[in-house]
Structures are given as structure tokens and as C-alpha cells.
């Protein structure tokens, strides 16, 4: 693991993410086909610190009968849980500036995880905030589709990869879809 390299990429890409703007993301055909099957659980997130808003995808999932969950974090070392959420449900403040469902909301096992990130590369490797929440969630949910949601400016030539890192199945940016045509 090259911690210095990851730290440098995080610093540069957080600044790029905060400076990014433009149109919101659009539902790519590969994901539209997957959502049209309906009946699953989509994990999403509420954006913080310049993250691109995944709500267009969440809205499409809800229209196709999917249930939605958001991450719930308690401490740095406790695993992140995905708890059921609907747009009418009030959120509560959590660590790191998160807005999350109340702790007593129903726990869900997502079929598809919309994942915030700091940086990604063309090989669909992801660099997160550094606490490992999503890496641990991915390990517990190996069959869930992992879809990164980011600004195009967050793409880098190469993301340093550690043995526990799991690549994404695709990335959605304001410029389009990066990944296979079918999910």
C-alpha cells in the first residue's frame, strides 16, 4: 500500500470534487435495464463535501419498485449498515457530516450499491475517503453490484489498489457511463 500516494490523490481529488459542477447524472441504459427488473434493494447516499447527487438514479429505482437504503455509521471501527429509507423519511445527523436514517430503521442487504468516491480509474478501481466503510461492506455483500457515482473530474490514470479493494462494476458521471453495456 502506498499511503503517501493515496493521500496525495485524495487531497487533489477532493479539491476537484468540490470545484466540479455541471448537469446532474443521467440514468445510463445499462443501469436502466437492471432497474427495470424491479424488486431489489438499492443502497444510495446523501451527498456531502462536493459529491455528485445520486437522486436521479434513486428516483428511477423507486419508480421501478425498488426499496432504497442509505448508509448508517456510528463509529470509525463499527461496520456501516444500510438502513431502509424513503424520500419522506427525515434523516438524522451522523459522523463525518452524514445525513442518515435513524438507527432503528430496518436493516437491508442491497442488491445494488451506489457508491460515493474520491477517485476512480478506467479499470473501475475506487479510492474512498480512507476509513474503509465501503470496502468492508463490499466484502460482506460480494454479490451486490457496485456502481460508483462521481464527477468526471475525479477520474485519475491509476488508483493504487490494496488486496482488500474490490473494483466497481461501473461508474456514472455527469458525462455518462463507464462500464459494461449489461449488468
Amino acid at each position: 500500500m502506498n499511503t503517501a500516494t493515496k493521500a496525495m490523490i485524495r487531497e487533489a481529488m477532493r479539491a476537484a470534487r468540490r470545484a466540479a459542477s455541471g448537469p446532474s447524472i443521467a440514468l445510463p441504459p445499462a443501469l436502466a435495464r437492471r432497474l427495470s427488473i424491479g424488486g431489489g434493494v438499492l443502497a444510495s447516499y446523501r451527498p456531502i463535501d462536493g459529491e455528485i447527487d445520486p437522486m436521479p438514479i434513486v428516483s428511477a429505482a423507486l419508480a421501478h419498485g425498488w426499496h432504497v437504503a442509505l448508509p448508517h455509521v456510528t463509529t470509525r471501527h463499527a461496520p456501516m449498515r444500510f438502513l431502509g429509507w424513503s424520500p419522506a423519511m427525515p434523516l438524522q445527523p451522523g459522523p463525518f457530516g452524514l445525513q442518515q436514517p435513524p438507527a432503528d430503521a430496518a436493516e437491508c442487504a442491497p442488491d445494488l450499491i451506489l457508491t460515493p468516491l474520491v477517485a476512480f480509474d478506467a479499470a473501475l478501481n475506487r479510492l474512498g475517503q480512507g476509513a474503509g466503510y465501503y470496502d468492508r461492506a463490499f466484502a460482506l455483500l460480494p454479490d451486490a453490484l457496485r456502481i460508483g457515482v462521481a464527477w468526471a473530474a475525479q477520474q485519475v490514470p491509476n488508483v493504487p489498489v490494496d488486496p482488500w479493494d474490490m473494483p466497481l462494476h461501473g461508474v456514472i458521471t455527469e458525462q455518462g457511463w463507464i462500464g459494461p453495456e449489461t449488468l
Side-chain angles (χ1 to χ4, degrees):
M1 168 173 69
N2 189 336
T3 306
T5 302
K6 283 187 173 185
M8 290 186 305
I9 293 171
R10 280 190 182 102
E11 183 178 343
M13 290 299 100
R14 283 182 181 132
R17 185 175 69 188
R18 286 182 201 115
S21 66
S24 65
I25 57 175
L27 183 62
L31 191 52
R33 285 188 292 276
R34 180 69 174 93
L35 292 177
S36 70
I37 296 168
V41 175
L42 171 84
S44 188
Y45 63 93
R46 298 298 300 152
I48 58 171
D49 196 27
E51 293 170 342
I52 197 164
D53 192 347
M55 278 309 288
I57 308 302
V58 171
S59 295
L62 289 167
H64 285 292
W66 285 66
H67 299 281
V68 176
L70 296 178
H72 185 273
V73 175
T74 55
T75 68
R76 184 172 181 89
H77 300 290
M80 176 174 69
R81 299 181 307 143
F82 292 104
L83 302 182
W85 175 79
S86 72
M89 178 186 288
L91 297 172
Q92 298 179 344
F96 316 111
L98 296 175
Q99 290 293 307
Q100 57 190 23
D104 61 353
E107 189 162 352
C108 302
D111 300 293
L112 194 154
I113 303 171
L114 296 180
T115 307
L117 50 87
V118 176
F120 69 96
D121 63 23
L124 302 177
N125 293 306
R126 170 191 172 273
L127 184 64
Q129 295 284 10
Y133 288 111
Y134 278 91
D135 294 319
R136 292 184 303 225
F138 292 165
L140 293 172
L141 301 160
D143 296 329
L145 288 174
R146 301 175 299 276
I147 307 297
V149 184
W151 296 102
Q154 293 174 253
Q155 186 169 2
V156 297
N158 292 296
V159 169
V161 177
D162 289 309
W164 55 83
D165 292 329
M166 295 176 74
L168 300 166
H169 294 102
V171 174
I172 304 167
T173 75
E174 79 283 8
Q175 294 180 1
W177 172 251
I178 302 165
E181 294 303 312
T182 59
L183 292 173

